[in-house]
Amino acid sequence: ILVHNPHARFNEGGRISAGTESDIHMLNIGQQITALTAGALNSNINKDFLVAGTQTSILAYDVDQNADLFYKDVTDGVNVAVIGQLGQIDSPIAVVGGNCSIQGFDYEGNDLFWTVTGDNVRAMALCDFTRDNEKELIVGSDDYDIRVFKKDELVSEMTETEAVTCLCPMFGSKFGYSLANGTVGVYDKTTRYWRIKSKNQVASIFSYDLDADGVVELITGWSNGKIDARNDRTGEVMFKDNFSSSIAGIVTADYRMDGQQELICCSVSGEVRGYLPADQAGDNKAASPEKDVFRELSLKKQNLLTELKNYEKNMKAHKLPIGLEKSEIDGTPVGLIPANTQLLVTLDVSPGDSSVQPHIVLHIATSNDTILRAIIIFAEGIFKGESHVVHPSPQNLSNKLDVRIFPHKDGIVDLHIKALVGYKSSVQFHTFEMTRQIPRFTLYMPAAEDTPEPKSSVVFHITERINRVVMWINQNFLLQNEIETEDELNVKLLCLKEKTPLFIRMEPNQNGKVTIRTDNMDLAGDVIQGLSSFLGIEDLQVTADFPDCLEYLRSVLEKVDEYHATSEKLTAEMADHSNLIRSLIVRAEDARIMGNMLNMKRGYMELNTVNRDLISQYNIRCNNHTELLSNLKIVNQTIQKAGRLR
């Protein structure tokens, strides 16, 4: 780690080389650094401590004293680290995220916080998400989810379209985020204010009040060297600058020690620039909202003028000579469509076959003989690039069009549909816009009566009428015929993707007992979370029985124990080999000094053999560690799935 310290000298005897006269020093940890942050880890001392994470450990360092604060082994590795106050924990903690797990350490290295999440942790931020004056932990992971933890409980979840790479707190419950596909945006609680997408990757995001208006902007550093500041509500660019290489990181600090916090940006080539807030006069501030309104109205005016121009062009293009001004299509001028034309959109489930996997079919049709020239569909997380265009060839034009949709996983998705409608001879087309929502559970069909009952089940009691549960099923499952029942609910469904059955049963006579039978723990969790939020249930006592999952978990835990034992054995053997190498070098060098070349040659040949053994043992240890991590990931994911059953 490179440390620039122009204001003071380092103490001797630590990890930082203190002897050099230069302002730039090196802090060497001896392992690849995977995470780096700084913050006030001890509330009694008014200064920041450095926290560095590696693939196997975490180091907290007191840079001023040039001494370790603590060093801890972290089995799941450290991908990202943040420092701050979390919930009701008294002291600030360093929160580190790794292989599906999150841990929190205080300044003495005590493990005060632990929880699991669905995949590898890529980004974290501390933010007052619930606006209760306590910080919650926001976690972004490789499974495209942003999860919010209050203490160690999951309180909210948002699904994005790509892996979440960066998170940063903004004002109140707002936070900024970025994705692996070049998307950057802002959320306020679970509502997304805006997002933009670029062909470049986001390297870093930060919040800073650059225009001195009392509201922070989202500062984004890009892989092409661009840095920009965007309005927190609209995403409008307020400021931009360019570096010659990719941005490495963005921080704020009083770097010049003049009492002002600068925004400091660093590039991968080592270029560092500092920015101060723009000094704005009172007049400019007052005029700012008026400018925004004027800009919006000008844009609206421009759009309406363009629309009017298109209508005029359309009328002119189809004015035919007298006696020929009407076409033969129902007495309607060519290019114009009947006023009562409607766009009909329906969704259907197709089980697929040997060549096509199960999918949803989107049926689009017009209400008369007008044709569909093209269909454009925008949807998050379904299509590559988030959009899909269907453009039939001229000979295949008709008033009906079917679009296959292959959802990757269960979840509510809005389909924004734009259809170009006209006649075969039309030059200009009318655009119909429509939004259709795909329900949460789509690839499910009613199961046959003789379908065997799944072994695993979840049982809980609710004080709700059976009609409310039926309403939730009809709203959240894409079924051809709605379910109707009054006395007892017994729904048998088949998940087309995994060919596994899902049974939902409710017996009002037994204190509202609900039984969900499925061997898929993920699906059971989704059903419970969806039903609980619909019925407004905050606390639910659940009895879960997943014998197959438990057996699999037991076998994985046995493997974990084996890998731990192997790791300890290999470490001991490597230590023995290291001692042997030391003695062999001493013996070989003694022989060389005494001129005994035969013994020297023999000693170095033996040394070469031991070294080869050491390298092969190291490779075995690496493979053992990789297997251990993958098994620990399964354990953490199982805990996460089980946690969603309550």
Side-chain angles (χ1 to χ4, degrees):
I1 301 170
L2 181 145
V3 182
H4 184 221
N5 182 22
H7 304 296
R9 294 295 300 273
F10 287 114
N11 294 337
E12 298 283 346
R15 290 175 187 258
I16 298 175
S17 49
T20 57
E21 291 298 316
S22 167
D23 291 345
I24 296 168
H25 304 267
M26 296 296 174
L27 166 56
N28 191 20
I29 289 178
Q31 292 183 62
Q32 185 186 344
I33 295 156
T34 53
L36 191 66
T37 189
L41 199 52
N42 187 344
S43 50
N44 300 322
I45 302 171
N46 185 25
K47 69 174 183 183
D48 286 354
F49 294 94
L50 189 71
V51 169
T54 71
Q55 289 164 342
T56 55
S57 61
I58 174 178
L59 169 72
Y61 203 75
D62 186 338
V63 175
D64 292 338
Q65 298 299 318
N66 195 8
D68 288 14
L69 200 59
F70 68 82
Y71 179 88
K72 285 277 179 181
D73 285 331
V74 181
T75 318
D76 290 319
V78 180
N79 298 334
V80 60
V82 291
I83 296 174
Q85 205 83 30
L86 176 61
Q88 295 176 336
I89 298 171
D90 295 334
S91 61
I93 59 171
V95 187
V96 298
N99 182 21
C100 297
S101 72
I102 302 160
Q103 285 175 268
F105 301 92
D106 68 1
Y107 71 97
E108 292 175 334
N110 300 318
D111 193 346
L112 299 185
F113 177 80
W114 181 87
T115 189
V116 292
T117 186
D119 209 334
N120 288 330
V121 180
R122 290 277 291 268
M124 291 194 299
L126 293 164
C127 169
D128 186 9
F129 184 84
T130 53
R131 293 191 180 173
D132 58 355
N133 295 323
E134 283 182 7
K135 294 279 178 76
E136 283 78 41
L137 180 67
I138 303 172
V139 179
S141 51
D142 280 345
D143 61 355
Y144 304 1
D145 279 354
I146 298 172
R147 296 180 177 89
V148 183
F149 291 91
K150 189 170 183 65
K151 297 172 189 170
D152 59 352
E153 281 183 28
L154 182 69
V155 293
S156 197
E157 203 170 0
M158 290 80 83
T159 301
E160 273 297 334
T161 56
E162 254 291 355
V164 183
T165 54
C166 302
L167 291 167
C168 79
M170 298 184 76
F171 180 74
S173 56
K174 287 183 192 170
F175 63 92
Y177 75 97
S178 71
L179 307 179
N181 62 2
T183 299
V184 66
V186 167
Y187 271 97
D188 187 0
K189 291 192 172 179
T190 54
T191 307
R192 187 168 58 204
Y193 270 9
W194 57 267
R195 64 171 185 152
I196 60 106
K197 193 173 176 185
S198 168
K199 62 183 178 186
N200 299 302
Q201 298 296 307
V202 179
S204 179
I205 60 173
F206 206 81
S207 58
Y208 183 76
D209 182 13
L210 201 60
D211 57 2
D213 63 349
V215 180
V216 293
E217 282 76 47
L218 182 67
I219 316 295
T220 311
W222 299 88
S223 58
N224 65 343
K226 189 175 82 167
I227 183 161
D228 58 39
R230 293 178 181 270
N231 184 289
D232 69 322
R233 281 198 66 85
T234 61
E236 183 189 349
V237 177
M238 319 286 284
F239 166 83
K240 59 183 174 184
D241 198 4
N242 284 292
F243 283 69
S244 57
S245 59
S246 171
I247 303 297
I250 306 170
V251 291
T252 57
D254 181 9
Y255 199 45
R256 302 185 301 180
M257 297 184 76
D258 60 358
Q260 285 183 303
Q261 289 280 325
E262 301 100 21
L263 177 75
I264 301 165
C265 303
C266 182
S267 75
V268 293
S269 60
E271 185 182 357
V272 181
R273 292 185 199 172
Y275 301 90
L276 283 170
D279 293 326
Q280 287 190 331
D283 297 344
N284 288 0
K285 278 189 185 177
S288 178
E290 291 171 17
K291 280 181 185 172
D292 289 346
V293 173
F294 183 72
R295 193 185 297 112
E296 276 178 37
L297 290 171
S298 298
L299 198 64
K300 251 183 203 172
K301 179 186 171 187
Q302 195 60 42
N303 289 342
L304 288 168
L305 284 170
T306 308
E307 206 173 320
L308 186 65
K309 208 172 180 182
N310 282 341
Y311 281 129
E312 286 170 356
K313 267 187 188 176
N314 197 35
M315 293 298 289
K316 278 179 190 173
H318 299 287
K319 269 190 180 174
L320 302 173
I322 296 167
L324 296 173
E325 71 275 4
K326 302 281 183 186
S327 75
E328 293 177 7
I329 307 170
D330 299 335
T332 310
V334 178
L336 300 179
I337 62 170
N340 62 353
T341 304
Q342 288 181 317
L343 197 65
L344 311 171
V345 178
T346 53
L347 288 167
D348 230 338
V349 179
S350 169
D353 52 40
S354 56
S355 58
V356 181
Q357 63 188 61
H359 57 274
I360 304 166
V361 182
L362 179 70
H363 303 287
I364 304 171
T366 61
S367 57
N368 48 37
D369 58 352
T370 50
I371 57 103
L372 291 160
R373 190 68 191 88
I375 303 287
I376 306 156
I377 305 168
F378 298 94
E380 286 184 32
I382 288 182
F383 307 115
K384 197 179 177 183
E386 298 183 18
S387 62
H388 182 67
V389 179
V390 182
H391 200 279
S393 56
Q395 59 268 30
N396 294 329
L397 293 173
S398 73
N399 69 333
K400 288 179 184 174
L401 211 54
D402 291 347
V403 182
R404 287 176 179 176
I405 297 171
F406 299 89
H408 304 301
K409 57 181 180 177
D410 292 335
I412 297 168
V413 179
D414 286 328
L415 299 175
H416 301 283
I417 303 159
K418 292 177 190 281
L420 303 184
V421 179
Y423 287 105
K424 284 188 177 181
S425 55
S426 298
V427 181
Q428 289 185 326
F429 294 89
H430 288 255
T431 305
F432 282 74
E433 294 188 17
M434 185 181 277
T435 300
R436 187 68 199 263
Q437 194 175 73
I438 295 178
R440 186 167 188 165
F441 304 99
T442 47
L443 297 177
Y444 296 82
M445 289 184 95
E449 282 300 319
D450 59 349
T451 305
E453 200 172 67
K455 281 194 269 181
S456 308
S457 66
V458 182
V459 180
F460 53 91
H461 295 268
I462 54 173
T463 54
E464 286 284 350
R465 288 177 291 114
I466 202 163
N467 294 352
R468 296 263 292 152
V469 179
V470 170
M471 188 192 296
W472 177 80
I473 292 171
N474 287 330
Q475 283 180 9
N476 285 270
F477 284 84
L478 187 59
L479 303 172
Q480 290 300 101
N481 303 312
E482 289 199 347
I483 294 162
E484 291 178 12
T485 185
E486 302 217 346
D487 308 328
E488 192 176 296
L489 178 68
N490 193 3
V491 180
K492 295 181 178 181
L493 299 168
L494 181 71
C495 174
L496 298 172
K497 219 169 194 180
E498 295 170 4
K499 303 290 186 245
T500 54
L502 166 68
F503 291 8
I504 302 172
R505 190 174 184 184
M506 184 176 179
E507 301 160 86
N509 304 331
Q510 296 189 23
N511 299 328
K513 181 184 175 186
V514 179
T515 307
I516 298 165
R517 288 196 165 276
T518 175
D519 292 322
N520 185 339
M521 198 189 281
D522 248 343
L523 175 56
D526 285 342
V527 170
I528 287 173
Q529 296 300 324
L531 185 59
S532 304
S533 59
F534 177 75
L535 300 174
I537 300 167
E538 288 188 7
D539 194 32
L540 188 66
Q541 291 295 316
V542 176
T543 308
D545 179 28
F546 285 84
D548 290 350
C549 284
L550 214 59
E551 195 53 47
Y552 178 58
L553 183 62
R554 194 174 282 113
S555 69
V556 170
L557 287 170
E558 283 172 7
K559 281 185 191 172
V560 167
D561 287 343
E562 284 172 24
Y563 289 131
H564 270 304
T566 309
S567 179
E568 285 171 12
K569 187 182 169 188
L570 286 168
T571 306
E573 284 178 6
M574 285 176 82
D576 291 345
H577 275 84
S578 299
N579 293 331
L580 182 59
I581 283 171
R582 259 189 229 111
S583 65
L584 283 171
I585 289 173
V586 170
R587 273 161 47 195
E589 283 301 298
D590 283 353
R592 184 181 65 81
I593 291 164
M594 291 165 69
N596 189 342
M597 292 300 143
L598 190 68
N599 276 350
M600 184 196 84
K601 195 175 179 184
R602 193 180 294 134
Y604 275 118
M605 281 170 71
E606 208 175 322
L607 182 69
N608 189 33
T609 308
V610 174
N611 188 51
R612 259 205 316 272
D613 290 348
L614 201 59
I615 290 167
S616 65
Q617 276 189 348
Y618 176 75
N619 291 331
I620 293 166
R621 194 180 173 197
C622 281
N623 294 334
N624 184 72
H625 183 69
T626 307
E627 288 297 320
L628 176 64
L629 278 185
S630 64
N631 279 281
L632 284 173
K633 183 175 180 176
I634 293 166
V635 173
N636 290 335
Q637 283 179 331
T638 308
I639 296 168
Q640 159 77 7
K641 287 176 191 175
R644 296 189 79 243
L645 296 174
R646 58 191 161 90

